[in-house]
């Protein structure tokens, strides 16, 4: 059972060349609970709102500043963000492994499955990857198909392509 918390969640909109990103943080010290492109934010945040029912307010955050630094070229600016994501133990393993993929590189779903000790669970790894609510801090965009093609991305393949090119510069 996932504990329901009553703390305030603060959201901040950050412009990027790929479209605005919205960051949601909770607590002191702040923990990132949602990080997604704004046009997908409500869909991603819906699951988080069950655990953190509010209030949700607009405001600034250190995490939003880290996203700005990332967009400005510091591709490691998000590496040390404290994230607070509720999921199954398997999802938690997948999300932890995603944080270990270096900026500018990609892994296949098969490589990710092997990294979490479940080499036969490629589809389950893909499902866990898609359930990640903290898109840039837990870099799900760094996972590609076995043939190197981009595959899907919750924010759209064009954005995945931009994020990977941005990190490789």
């Amino acid at each position: 059972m996932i504990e329901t918390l009553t703390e305030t969640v603060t959201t901040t909109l950050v412009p990027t060349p790929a479209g605005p990103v919205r960051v949601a943080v909770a607590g002191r010290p702040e923990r990132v609970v949602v990080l997604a492109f704004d046009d997908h934010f409500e869909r991603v945040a819906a699951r988080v709102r069950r655990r953190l029912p509010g209030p949700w307010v607009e405001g600034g955050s250190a995490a939003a500043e880290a996203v700005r630094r990332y967009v400005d070229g510091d591709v490691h600016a998000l590496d040390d963000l404290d994230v607070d994501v509720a999921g199954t133990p398997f999802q938690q393993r997948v999300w932890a492994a995603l944080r270990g993929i270096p900026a500018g590189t990609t892994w296949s779903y098969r490589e990710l499955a092997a990294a979490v000790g479940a080499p036969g669970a490629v589809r389950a790894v893909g499902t866990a990857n898609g359930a990640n609510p903290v898109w840039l801090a837990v870099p799900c965009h760094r996972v590609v198909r076995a043939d190197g093609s981009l595959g899907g991305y919750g924010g759209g393949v064009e954005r995945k392509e931009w994020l990977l090119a941005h990190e490789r510069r």
Side-chain angles (χ1 to χ4, degrees):
M1 180 168 185
I2 296 174
E3 179 183 5
T4 301
L5 305 173
T6 58
E7 59 198 323
T8 298
V9 176
T10 303
T11 69
T12 311
L13 194 63
V14 179
T16 81
V21 170
R22 186 165 296 276
V23 183
V25 299
R28 296 279 179 247
E30 69 182 29
R31 305 166 331 272
V32 180
V33 295
V34 183
L35 175 52
F37 285 96
D38 195 48
D39 54 343
H40 295 272
F41 182 82
E42 285 305 321
R43 175 182 58 81
V44 175
R47 291 187 314 267
V48 177
R49 286 182 196 274
R50 288 193 294 270
R51 184 170 63 98
L52 295 164
W56 287 52
V57 300
E58 289 285 326
S61 70
E65 289 305 315
V67 172
R68 286 184 185 94
R69 288 194 317 276
Y70 171 85
V71 170
D72 288 342
D74 178 0
V75 297
H76 300 289
L78 307 176
D79 292 353
D80 294 326
L81 286 179
D82 186 14
V83 299
D84 179 0
V85 289
T88 68
F90 182 76
Q91 288 172 325
Q92 295 288 341
R93 288 197 336 257
V94 170
W95 297 337
L98 286 169
R99 292 198 88 181
I101 303 173
T105 63
T106 58
W107 287 4
S108 70
Y109 290 97
R110 181 172 291 122
E111 289 171 307
L112 183 56
V116 300
V122 174
R123 288 182 189 256
V125 161
T127 300
N129 195 37
N132 166 27
V134 193
W135 292 5
L136 303 179
V138 176
C140 50
H141 61 277
R142 296 180 189 158
V143 182
V144 298
R145 292 180 176 153
D147 66 4
S149 62
L150 296 184
Y153 180 63
V157 174
E158 303 81 19
R159 287 177 172 152
K160 182 173 186 169
E161 187 173 46
W162 182 85
L163 290 164
L164 291 172
H166 171 69
E167 292 179 352
R168 289 179 179 140
R169 282 190 204 100

